[in-house]
Amino acid sequence: MWTYNKKLQYPVNIKNPNPKLAQIILTQYGGPDGELGASLRYLSQRFAMPYAELKGLLTDIGTEELGHLEMIGAIVYQLTRNLSIEQIQASGFDKYFVDHTTGIYPQAAAGVPYSALSMQSKGDILTDLHEDLAAEQKARTTYDNILRLVDDPDVADPIKFLREREIVHYQRFGEGLRLATDRLDSKNYYMYNPSFDKK
């Protein structure tokens, strides 16, 4: 189904390690509004989506989110490579280091491991698309917060790229919601579903 292009969607070339930044950026790898949850959400929702255009949209964006996950992993890796024990201790990275050394592990900035409880796949067109719109805005807000804490342009540039893609995804899901609402039976829009009528 997929062809893997062995390069990042946007280049990541970080010269200065910074484990303190790595700890906060890691949230976009496995945090509640991160790229792992986004890719799983969209690639799961696509199966129940009845409209081919929206199934394609979920597949395309879900696949792109996997590329974003790869970028975040590269950023965190480059921020933590070749650290001395002194740097690890001074930055507060020691707790993460004890459990994972400098391996990339899906967790939030607060240290909470990734949980699928942070995403939803209902099989209802409107519910899932509203979930997706909200997810993209939460991810954009998280990137905004990260950018407030980053002063290294090597880190800020790929984060800005990822933030821009959240906005584009939000716009695409908005278009998808309009397409879906135009096609839904007006009697089956929210309050009445004939399949639930026992007659």
Side-chain angles (χ1 to χ4, degrees):
M1 177 176 174
W2 288 292
T3 301
Y4 177 52
N5 188 352
K6 297 183 180 181
K7 67 176 186 176
L8 295 177
Q9 197 174 7
Y10 187 91
V12 176
N13 298 302
I14 298 168
K15 296 180 236 14
N16 301 311
N18 188 330
K20 204 171 203 65
L21 272 184
Q23 289 175 87
I24 62 168
I25 292 170
L26 191 61
T27 205
Q28 283 303 86
Y29 193 82
D33 305 309
E35 305 294 353
L36 177 59
S39 61
L40 290 176
R41 176 186 297 108
Y42 308 145
L43 293 174
S44 297
Q45 289 174 353
R46 66 182 290 279
F47 292 102
M49 184 56 67
Y51 304 128
E53 300 94 329
L54 298 182
K55 187 177 287 204
L57 179 69
L58 289 164
T59 303
D60 290 348
I61 295 178
T63 302
E64 184 178 348
E65 301 291 11
L66 290 172
H68 295 174
L69 184 71
E70 186 178 31
M71 283 181 63
I72 293 293
I75 291 168
V76 172
Y77 170 74
Q78 290 181 25
L79 285 170
T80 59
R81 67 181 167 204
N82 303 321
L83 293 174
S84 68
I85 293 299
E86 293 74 26
Q87 289 172 306
I88 290 167
Q89 290 175 319
S91 65
F93 195 66
D94 50 349
K95 294 175 187 67
Y96 182 93
F97 180 81
V98 166
D99 289 335
H100 310 293
T101 319
T102 56
I104 308 304
Y105 179 77
Q107 71 177 44
V112 179
Y114 174 76
S115 170
L117 293 172
S118 64
M119 45 87 54
Q120 187 56 266
S121 178
K122 281 291 213 194
D124 178 273
I125 301 164
L126 296 177
T127 303
D128 283 349
L129 288 171
H130 280 285
E131 159 91 1
D132 302 342
L133 285 161
E136 294 298 328
Q137 285 302 313
K138 290 186 283 184
R140 192 257 321 144
T141 301
T142 303
Y143 282 125
D144 285 347
N145 292 340
I146 289 169
L147 286 168
R148 289 181 177 101
L149 301 170
V150 170
D151 58 6
D152 182 343
D154 290 345
V155 179
D157 285 348
I159 296 294
K160 287 177 184 175
F161 169 82
L162 291 166
R163 179 191 180 279
E164 289 169 9
R165 295 307 299 162
E166 305 300 344
I167 294 167
V168 171
H169 295 169
Y170 179 80
Q171 292 168 338
R172 296 297 84 81
F173 283 130
E175 293 163 3
L177 181 61
R178 283 189 294 281
L179 185 148
T181 54
D182 287 346
R183 290 189 182 177
L184 284 170
D185 182 339
S186 61
K187 291 182 180 176
N188 189 19
Y189 188 69
Y190 277 116
M191 297 182 292
Y192 177 75
N193 187 325
S195 65
F196 299 149
D197 190 358
K198 294 183 182 178
K199 291 185 182 179

